[in-house]
Amino acid sequence: MALENAHGPLHVDTVLVASGRPGRAPGASVNVPVELTSTYAADGPVNYGRVGNPTWNAFESTLGELEGGRALVHASGMGAISAALSLVAPGGTVVAPDQTYNGTGDLLRAFEEAGGTVVRLHASDTAGFVAALDGADLLWLESPTNPLMDVIDLERVLARSRELGVTSVVDNTLPTPLLSRPLELGADIVVHSVTKYLSGHSDVVLGATVVADTERGRALGERLQRHRTLHGAIAGPLEVYLALRGLRTLAVRFERACASAAVLAERLAGHPAVRRVRYPGSGAMLAIEVGDDAAAAERLCAATRLWLHSTSLGGVESQLERRRRHPSESTAVPVNLVRLSVGIEHVEDLWSDLEQALDAV
């Protein structure tokens, strides 16, 4: 049930802080505690720690409130992605962008090797997505895509999948619920790497799925929960507690990071070492193509002093990486592309560090 004040639903910034709290009985804790138990006394709502945990419930209710659905926490982002892709029967058909997060790409290739079909389309090919959905079993979307930052017309593509009854999944890790709420556009399932912006401090590995609070969504949610329970890809209570603590500050962290990303995108476009800036116009992620080869991009990553050369994103610290250094990265990604995750440091310090590194390139 959505939290409300006297005038209607709460703003999302307030939901982040207020949702998932214990009741306000005299002397009650402000926070839900870390419930460290594997076993529960018989005849209660949960009988074993692989099935449920009160700490999970607090995080799930908060994320569900943010996305406008029902959330499940998973052991990792890949655990959440695997659970969502498990909804497709062997030999089925998945429609997806031709460039996705590389972990998703690996799973889709494994799906093909097992006899499934994957129809891959460029993010800008809206008509192609709409046409490909006829006869498909599952639609997988990212917008913006990771790491090319291409934007997909979610509203139009999701509307068509809804018409045809094709199960749709949107990875909402990069925009977060602060910029995009795919369930409101007709998506069946939203996936998150909670490791990234939601927890925001580079100290946990977690994932989440969120389903629409409809009859169809609840049925899908039951299948996702069954997958989580049977496959054992469950989250530790301490990690979930830390993720919920991080989630409380998402609005202020993300606002700062997005504002800095817009400034940096404009300045990077004017630097002679930068061949192209890929920035979707919002969010805290961008990518640049540096020089003419992989070596130039690697020199940039090696020359920064403040920006952390690392493979993750969404933390309070700013991070950058040449994505094609990973063998599993799509060949659609240029070899000189560097992905930047903007953190919450002062923007002038971030720019100064990038500028000196680019000058060295």
Side-chain angles (χ1 to χ4, degrees):
M1 181 177 178
L3 294 174
E4 294 188 350
N5 59 28
H7 302 288
L10 297 177
H11 293 83
V12 66
D13 315 53
T14 306
V15 170
L16 282 163
V17 176
S19 184
R21 299 282 190 183
R24 293 191 174 186
S29 171
V30 171
N31 295 308
V32 170
V34 183
E35 191 81 24
L36 295 174
T37 185
S38 62
T39 309
Y40 299 85
D43 303 323
V46 178
N47 64 359
Y48 191 57
R50 184 160 46 84
V51 178
N53 183 287
T55 312
W56 298 358
N57 297 343
F59 176 84
E60 290 170 345
S61 65
T62 304
L63 180 57
E65 185 86 13
L66 288 173
E67 287 283 11
R70 296 185 172 197
L72 281 175
V73 66
H74 298 260
S76 66
M78 286 297 290
I81 293 168
S82 297
L85 287 175
S86 75
L87 298 172
V88 187
T93 298
V94 177
V95 177
D98 60 3
Q99 186 277 311
T100 63
Y101 163 59
N102 66 344
T104 304
D106 285 343
L107 282 177
L108 289 174
R109 283 186 286 275
F111 176 73
E112 287 179 297
E113 291 167 4
T117 299
V118 179
V119 179
R120 295 178 176 84
L121 299 153
H122 190 271
S124 64
D125 188 6
T126 303
F129 273 100
V130 169
L133 288 171
D134 192 8
D137 298 290
L138 185 135
L139 168 67
W140 190 279
L141 298 175
E142 298 176 7
S143 187
T145 59
N146 180 8
L148 290 183
M149 302 297 138
D150 291 327
V151 176
I152 294 174
D153 187 344
L154 290 182
E155 186 169 5
R156 185 174 168 194
V157 177
L158 287 172
R160 183 57 176 163
S161 71
R162 203 72 170 173
E163 289 175 7
L164 296 174
V166 177
T167 301
S168 56
V169 184
V170 179
D171 187 330
N172 206 29
T173 299
L174 298 195
T176 82
L178 300 183
L179 293 182
S180 178
R181 285 165 58 98
L183 296 181
E184 293 181 350
L185 299 177
D188 292 307
I189 303 168
V190 164
V191 165
H192 281 281
S193 173
V194 177
T195 306
K196 310 305 194 291
Y197 287 107
L198 298 187
S199 62
H201 291 78
S202 302
D203 54 5
V204 300
V205 175
L206 287 175
T209 54
V210 190
V211 297
D213 194 7
T214 62
E215 183 178 354
R216 175 183 173 85
R218 288 189 291 273
L220 290 170
E222 288 174 3
R223 293 175 64 186
L224 293 170
Q225 185 162 11
R226 185 169 185 269
H227 182 277
R228 182 183 72 175
T229 301
L230 293 181
H231 288 254
I234 61 168
L238 179 58
E239 287 85 350
V240 179
Y241 175 88
L242 291 172
L244 180 57
R245 186 174 69 168
L247 192 59
R248 302 296 188 201
T249 61
L250 174 62
V252 290
R253 289 187 285 106
F254 201 58
E255 181 180 16
R256 174 69 170 265
C258 290
S260 295
V263 172
L264 294 174
E266 183 176 358
R267 293 183 185 180
L268 285 164
H271 196 285
V274 177
R275 300 291 182 260
R276 179 178 179 180
V277 175
R278 294 173 176 267
Y279 174 61
S282 62
M285 297 289 301
L286 60 150
I288 56 176
E289 294 172 28
V290 182
D292 298 315
D293 54 21
E298 290 287 352
R299 287 197 299 274
L300 168 66
C301 295
T304 57
R305 301 163 186 164
L306 182 60
W307 289 76
L308 177 66
H309 186 195
S310 64
T311 195
S312 193
L313 59 94
V316 292
E317 64 285 323
S318 294
Q319 302 163 77
L320 80 173
E321 183 184 38
R322 186 180 78 86
R323 289 300 302 170
R324 281 290 296 279
R325 65 178 15 232
H326 299 287
S328 61
E329 189 61 83
S330 168
T331 55
V333 176
V335 296
N336 63 337
L337 181 138
V338 175
R339 185 185 68 188
L340 291 87
S341 169
V342 181
I344 65 171
E345 306 93 337
H346 197 288
V347 67
E348 295 301 336
D349 293 329
L350 292 175
W351 171 244
S352 178
D353 191 35
L354 278 178
E355 187 176 38
Q356 64 81 24
L358 285 166
D359 288 346
V361 170

